[in-house]
Amino acid sequence: MYPSFANPTQFAPTEDFDSYPRDLERDVRLLVEERADLLFNPTAEDMYPRGYQTYVDVEQVSRPLCGAHRPGHFRGVATVVLKLFNIVRPHVAMFGLKDYQQVQVIRRMMEDVNLDVEIVGCPTVREPDGLAMSSRNRYLEPAEREAALCLQSALGKAEALVRGGETAAQRIREAVVAEISRQPLVRLEYADLCDPKALHAVEEVKGPTLLALCAWVGKARLIDNRILAGERA
Amino acid sequence: MYPSFANPTQFAPTEDFDSYPRDLERDVRLLVEERADLLFNPTAEDMYPRGYQTYVDVEQVSRPLCGAHRPGHFRGVATVVLKLFNIVRPHVAMFGLKDYQQVQVIRRMMEDVNLDVEIVGCPTVREPDGLAMSSRNRYLEPAEREAALCLQSALGKAEALVRGGETAAQRIREAVVAEISRQPLVRLEYADLCDPKALHAVEEVKGPTLLALCAWVGKARLIDNRILAGERA
């Protein structure tokens, strides 16, 4: 989601809205290359004028993972996406699956409030070495950029374990934590195995299971995830 | 609002959703007489299926008056009206002004979430003796029915005071409380003078001001209100 859509008051104090990396000129150039017809780029004041007071809570799917560490964040996401859809009235909207929980919050809201917009989750785009692309990657110093690859390798280790028959979430999680803790520049925020739709934690990998990671690398808070496709019990 | 639209879990424990007076056959007959083309009458399960978890809060206007006494009530109202509008996609929706706060909550939500539905507030329909019509009036025993008229007379006393030049909300409120406390069968829940749009309490009647009343009469919780049209300062 383009960050200027979010309510600045909903941002956690650890990440300043005004310092979020933005480059409108570059965004416009890329959109023109892709032959976009329209760009909707409202100001915070357009979206949240004086007296604004309505917020949407998508309760359960907003709670775990990033929701547990960024109170109010998904409330802001749900609210602004509802507003965006009411203004633009799209038939289809695309969201990147790197922000997996965001996609699930939006899907659940669409279903609950009876809004008929097709939500398309787009596969994460990666750098050649596997690091998930993110505006925040530009915060990384060269040594941090190198260390950040442990997210990708931890996801790979987890997938290898599941392919090898491991089903205990706890053991898969331990392998992920071990892989990431080899990097002193990386501080893990969470590594959780969850139901891929409801996002509640699971104990066992019995079918498709989300492994979601979040780690701080220097000033950058990075997230990544993979669906571990365990055999159905 | 037709009560079957509301989430039963949002009802205050003092009023049971299942015992709310409803008479679908009579409603249908009245709608046929008015040549309605369609009736939308979903079940609670249609509106809130298993896994439902999205709620809309309209923060400030939901807080005072009935919102202070029925926690979660306007959250249920806002949520179900958003759903209703997304399902029905009306150009115009009519709501009775007896439920004045409800109308303001819905208007504010429409503006905040950029929904383009014209909200028409309809004047309160009254019995010949002035009692505001309500499904709940059928709970009243004859002596209670008589006593309930004090809401109407209290509104009249307040209006007479304002016409006579009184501007102090505290003195107007005292006259309302005195009028209602003459009736031992009536227990006042609130009597507040408010800004007619934002619904915050006012100290002085300087322009149009909402006087909103709520009182229990036997098993019935009755509300009524009037706009006191003070001279603008």
Coordinates of all heavy atoms in Angstrom, one line a residue, chain B residues 11-56:
Chain B
F11 N -25.9 -6.1 21.5 CA -26.9 -5.6 22.3 C -26.5 -5.6 23.8 O -25.9 -6.5 24.3 CB -28.2 -6.4 22.2 CG -29.1 -5.9 21.1 CD1 -28.7 -6.0 19.8 CD2 -30.3 -5.2 21.4 CE1 -29.5 -5.4 18.8 CE2 -31.1 -4.7 20.4 CZ -30.7 -4.8 19.1
A12 N -26.9 -4.5 24.5 CA -26.6 -4.4 25.9 C -27.4 -5.5 26.6 O -28.5 -5.9 26.2 CB -27.0 -3.1 26.4
P13 N -26.9 -6.1 27.7 CA -27.6 -7.2 28.4 C -28.9 -6.8 29.0 O -29.7 -7.6 29.2 CB -26.6 -7.6 29.5 CG -25.6 -6.4 29.6 CD -25.6 -5.7 28.3
T14 N -29.2 -5.5 29.1 CA -30.5 -5.1 29.6 C -31.6 -5.2 28.6 O -32.8 -5.1 29.0 CB -30.4 -3.6 30.1 OG1 -29.8 -2.8 29.1 CG2 -29.7 -3.5 31.4
E15 N -31.3 -5.4 27.4 CA -32.4 -5.6 26.4 C -32.0 -6.8 25.5 O -31.1 -6.8 24.8 CB -32.5 -4.3 25.5 CG -33.7 -4.5 24.5 CD -34.2 -3.2 24.0 OE1 -33.4 -2.4 23.6 OE2 -35.4 -3.0 24.0
D16 N -32.9 -7.8 25.6 CA -32.6 -9.0 24.9 C -33.0 -8.9 23.5 O -34.1 -8.5 23.2 CB -33.3 -10.2 25.6 CG -33.0 -11.5 25.0 OD1 -32.0 -11.6 24.3 OD2 -33.8 -12.5 25.2
F17 N -32.0 -9.2 22.6 CA -32.3 -9.2 21.1 C -33.6 -10.0 20.8 O -34.4 -9.5 20.0 CB -31.1 -9.7 20.4 CG -31.3 -9.9 18.9 CD1 -31.3 -8.7 18.1 CD2 -31.4 -11.1 18.3 CE1 -31.5 -8.9 16.7 CE2 -31.6 -11.3 17.0 CZ -31.6 -10.1 16.2
D18 N -33.7 -11.2 21.4 CA -34.8 -12.1 21.0 C -36.1 -11.6 21.5 O -37.1 -11.9 20.9 CB -34.5 -13.5 21.5 CG -33.3 -14.1 20.9 OD1 -33.1 -13.9 19.7 OD2 -32.5 -14.7 21.6
S19 N -36.1 -10.7 22.5 CA -37.4 -10.2 23.0 C -37.8 -8.9 22.4 O -38.8 -8.3 22.8 CB -37.4 -10.2 24.6 OG -36.6 -9.0 25.0
Y20 N -36.9 -8.3 21.6 CA -37.3 -7.0 21.0 C -38.5 -7.2 20.2 O -38.7 -8.1 19.4 CB -36.1 -6.6 20.0 CG -36.3 -5.1 19.6 CD1 -35.6 -4.1 20.2 CD2 -37.1 -4.8 18.5 CE1 -35.8 -2.8 19.8 CE2 -37.2 -3.5 18.1 CZ -36.6 -2.5 18.7 OH -36.7 -1.2 18.3
P21 N -39.5 -6.3 20.4 CA -40.8 -6.5 19.7 C -40.7 -6.4 18.2 O -40.3 -5.5 17.6 CB -41.7 -5.4 20.3 CG -40.8 -4.3 20.8 CD -39.5 -5.0 21.2
R22 N -41.1 -7.5 17.6 CA -41.1 -7.6 16.1 C -42.3 -8.3 15.6 O -42.9 -9.1 16.3 CB -39.9 -8.5 15.7 CG -38.6 -7.7 15.4 CD -37.5 -8.6 15.2 NE -37.1 -9.3 16.4 CZ -36.0 -10.1 16.5 NH1 -35.3 -10.3 15.5 NH2 -35.7 -10.6 17.7
D23 N -42.8 -7.9 14.5 CA -44.0 -8.4 13.9 C -43.9 -8.4 12.4 O -44.3 -7.4 11.8 CB -45.2 -7.6 14.4 CG -46.5 -8.3 14.0 OD1 -46.5 -9.1 13.0 OD2 -47.6 -8.0 14.5
L24 N -43.2 -9.4 11.9 CA -42.9 -9.3 10.4 C -44.1 -9.3 9.6 O -44.2 -8.5 8.6 CB -42.0 -10.5 10.1 CG -41.5 -10.6 8.6 CD1 -40.7 -9.3 8.3 CD2 -40.8 -11.8 8.3
E25 N -45.2 -10.1 10.0 CA -46.4 -10.1 9.2 C -47.0 -8.7 9.1 O -47.4 -8.2 8.0 CB -47.4 -11.0 9.8 CG -47.2 -12.4 9.3 CD -48.3 -13.4 9.9 OE1 -49.5 -13.0 9.9 OE2 -47.9 -14.5 10.3
R26 N -47.0 -8.0 10.2 CA -47.6 -6.6 10.2 C -46.7 -5.7 9.4 O -47.2 -4.9 8.6 CB -47.7 -6.1 11.6 CG -48.3 -4.7 11.8 CD -48.6 -4.4 13.2 NE -49.0 -3.0 13.4 CZ -48.1 -2.1 13.6 NH1 -46.8 -2.4 13.7 NH2 -48.4 -0.8 13.7
D27 N -45.4 -5.8 9.5 CA -44.5 -5.0 8.8 C -44.7 -5.2 7.3 O -44.7 -4.3 6.5 CB -43.0 -5.4 9.1 CG -42.6 -4.9 10.5 OD1 -43.3 -4.1 11.1 OD2 -41.6 -5.4 11.0
V28 N -44.8 -6.5 6.9 CA -45.0 -6.8 5.5 C -46.3 -6.2 5.0 O -46.4 -5.6 3.9 CB -45.1 -8.3 5.2 CG1 -45.5 -8.7 3.8 CG2 -43.7 -8.9 5.5
R29 N -47.4 -6.3 5.8 CA -48.7 -5.7 5.4 C -48.6 -4.2 5.2 O -49.0 -3.6 4.2 CB -49.7 -6.0 6.5 CG -51.2 -5.9 6.0 CD -52.1 -6.5 7.1 NE -52.1 -5.7 8.3 CZ -51.7 -6.2 9.5 NH1 -51.4 -7.5 9.6 NH2 -51.7 -5.4 10.6
L30 N -47.9 -3.5 6.1 CA -47.7 -2.1 6.0 C -46.9 -1.7 4.8 O -47.2 -0.7 4.1 CB -47.0 -1.5 7.3 CG -47.9 -1.6 8.5 CD1 -47.1 -1.3 9.8 CD2 -49.1 -0.7 8.5
L31 N -45.9 -2.5 4.5 CA -45.0 -2.2 3.3 C -45.8 -2.4 2.0 O -45.7 -1.7 1.1 CB -43.8 -3.1 3.3 CG -42.7 -2.8 4.4 CD1 -41.7 -3.9 4.5 CD2 -42.0 -1.5 4.0
V32 N -46.7 -3.5 2.0 CA -47.5 -3.7 0.8 C -48.5 -2.5 0.6 O -48.6 -2.0 -0.5 CB -48.3 -5.0 1.0 CG1 -49.4 -5.1 -0.1 CG2 -47.3 -6.2 0.9
E33 N -49.0 -2.0 1.7 CA -49.9 -0.9 1.6 C -49.2 0.3 1.0 O -49.8 1.1 0.3 CB -50.5 -0.5 3.0 CG -51.7 -1.3 3.5 CD -52.0 -1.1 4.9 OE1 -51.7 0.0 5.4 OE2 -52.6 -2.0 5.5
E34 N -47.9 0.5 1.4 CA -47.2 1.6 0.9 C -46.5 1.3 -0.5 O -45.8 2.1 -1.0 CB -46.0 2.0 1.9 CG -46.6 2.4 3.3 CD -47.3 3.7 3.2 OE1 -47.0 4.6 2.3 OE2 -48.3 3.9 4.0
R35 N -46.9 0.2 -1.0 CA -46.4 -0.3 -2.4 C -44.9 -0.4 -2.5 O -44.3 0.0 -3.5 CB -47.0 0.7 -3.4 CG -48.5 0.9 -3.3 CD -49.0 1.9 -4.3 NE -48.8 1.4 -5.7 CZ -49.5 1.9 -6.7 NH1 -50.3 2.8 -6.6 NH2 -49.2 1.4 -7.9
A36 N -44.3 -0.9 -1.4 CA -42.9 -1.2 -1.4 C -42.7 -2.3 -2.5 O -43.5 -3.2 -2.6 CB -42.4 -1.7 0.0
D37 N -41.5 -2.2 -3.2 CA -41.2 -3.2 -4.2 C -40.4 -4.4 -3.6 O -40.6 -5.5 -4.1 CB -40.4 -2.6 -5.3 CG -41.2 -1.6 -6.1 OD1 -42.3 -2.0 -6.6 OD2 -40.7 -0.5 -6.3
L38 N -39.6 -4.1 -2.6 CA -38.7 -5.1 -2.1 C -38.7 -5.0 -0.5 O -38.7 -3.9 0.0 CB -37.3 -5.0 -2.6 CG -37.1 -5.4 -4.0 CD1 -35.7 -5.0 -4.5 CD2 -37.1 -7.0 -4.1
L39 N -38.5 -6.1 0.1 CA -38.2 -6.2 1.5 C -36.9 -7.0 1.7 O -36.8 -8.1 1.2 CB -39.3 -6.8 2.3 CG -39.0 -7.2 3.8 CD1 -38.6 -6.0 4.7 CD2 -40.2 -8.0 4.4
F40 N -35.9 -6.4 2.3 CA -34.7 -7.1 2.6 C -34.7 -7.5 4.1 O -34.7 -6.7 5.0 CB -33.5 -6.2 2.3 CG -32.2 -6.9 2.6 CD1 -31.8 -8.0 2.0 CD2 -31.3 -6.3 3.5 CE1 -30.5 -8.6 2.2 CE2 -30.0 -6.8 3.7 CZ -29.7 -8.0 3.1
N41 N -34.8 -8.8 4.4 CA -35.0 -9.3 5.7 C -34.1 -10.5 6.0 O -34.5 -11.6 6.2 CB -36.5 -9.7 5.9 CG -36.8 -10.2 7.3 OD1 -36.4 -9.5 8.3 ND2 -37.5 -11.3 7.4
P42 N -32.8 -10.2 6.1 CA -31.8 -11.3 6.3 C -31.9 -11.8 7.7 O -32.3 -11.1 8.6 CB -30.5 -10.6 6.0 CG -30.7 -9.2 6.5 CD -32.1 -8.9 6.1
T43 N -31.4 -13.0 7.9 CA -31.2 -13.5 9.3 C -29.9 -12.9 9.9 O -29.0 -12.4 9.1 CB -31.1 -15.0 9.3 OG1 -29.9 -15.4 8.6 CG2 -32.3 -15.7 8.6
A44 N -29.8 -13.1 11.2 CA -28.5 -12.7 11.8 C -27.3 -13.5 11.2 O -26.2 -13.0 11.0 CB -28.6 -12.9 13.3
E45 N -27.6 -14.8 10.9 CA -26.6 -15.6 10.3 C -26.2 -15.2 8.9 O -25.0 -15.4 8.5 CB -27.0 -17.1 10.3 CG -27.2 -17.7 11.7 CD -28.3 -17.2 12.5 OE1 -29.3 -16.8 11.9 OE2 -28.2 -17.1 13.7
D46 N -27.1 -14.6 8.2 CA -26.8 -14.1 6.8 C -25.8 -12.9 7.0 O -24.8 -12.8 6.2 CB -28.0 -13.5 6.1 CG -29.0 -14.6 5.7 OD1 -28.6 -15.7 5.4 OD2 -30.2 -14.2 5.6
M47 N -26.1 -12.1 8.0 CA -25.3 -10.9 8.1 C -24.0 -11.1 8.9 O -22.9 -10.5 8.6 CB -26.1 -9.8 8.9 CG -27.3 -9.4 8.1 SD -26.9 -8.6 6.5 CE -26.8 -6.8 7.0
Y48 N -24.0 -12.1 9.8 CA -22.8 -12.3 10.7 C -22.5 -13.8 10.7 O -22.7 -14.5 11.7 CB -23.1 -11.8 12.1 CG -23.4 -10.4 12.1 CD1 -24.7 -10.0 12.3 CD2 -22.4 -9.4 12.0 CE1 -25.1 -8.6 12.3 CE2 -22.7 -8.0 12.0 CZ -24.1 -7.7 12.1 OH -24.4 -6.3 12.1
P49 N -22.0 -14.3 9.5 CA -21.7 -15.7 9.5 C -20.5 -16.1 10.4 O -19.8 -15.2 10.8 CB -21.4 -16.0 8.0 CG -21.0 -14.7 7.5 CD -21.7 -13.6 8.3
R50 N -20.4 -17.3 10.6 CA -19.2 -17.9 11.4 C -17.9 -17.2 10.9 O -17.7 -17.2 9.6 CB -19.2 -19.4 11.2 CG -18.4 -20.2 12.1 CD -18.5 -21.6 11.7 NE -17.2 -22.3 11.9 CZ -16.8 -22.8 13.1 NH1 -17.7 -22.7 14.1 NH2 -15.7 -23.3 13.3
G51 N -17.1 -16.7 11.8 CA -15.8 -16.1 11.4 C -15.9 -14.6 11.2 O -14.9 -14.0 11.0
Y52 N -17.1 -14.1 11.3 CA -17.3 -12.6 11.1 C -16.5 -11.9 12.1 O -16.5 -12.3 13.3 CB -18.8 -12.3 11.3 CG -19.0 -10.8 10.9 CD1 -19.3 -10.5 9.6 CD2 -18.7 -9.8 11.8 CE1 -19.4 -9.2 9.2 CE2 -18.9 -8.5 11.4 CZ -19.2 -8.2 10.1 OH -19.3 -6.8 9.7
Q53 N -15.8 -10.8 11.8 CA -14.9 -10.1 12.7 C -14.6 -8.7 12.4 O -13.7 -8.1 13.0 CB -13.6 -10.9 12.8 CG -12.9 -11.0 11.5 CD -11.6 -11.9 11.6 OE1 -10.5 -11.5 11.9 NE2 -11.9 -13.2 11.4
T54 N -15.4 -8.0 11.5 CA -15.1 -6.6 11.1 C -16.2 -5.7 11.7 O -17.4 -5.9 11.6 CB -15.1 -6.5 9.6 OG1 -14.1 -7.4 9.1 CG2 -14.8 -5.1 9.2
Y55 N -15.7 -4.6 12.4 CA -16.6 -3.7 13.1 C -16.2 -2.3 12.8 O -15.0 -2.0 12.6 CB -16.7 -3.9 14.6 CG -17.3 -5.3 14.9 CD1 -16.4 -6.4 15.0 CD2 -18.6 -5.5 14.9 CE1 -17.0 -7.6 15.3 CE2 -19.2 -6.7 15.1 CZ -18.4 -7.8 15.3 OH -18.9 -9.0 15.5
V56 N -17.1 -1.4 12.7 CA -16.9 0.0 12.4 C -17.2 0.9 13.6 O -18.2 0.8 14.2 CB -17.8 0.5 11.2 CG1 -17.4 2.0 10.9 CG2 -17.6 -0.4 10.0

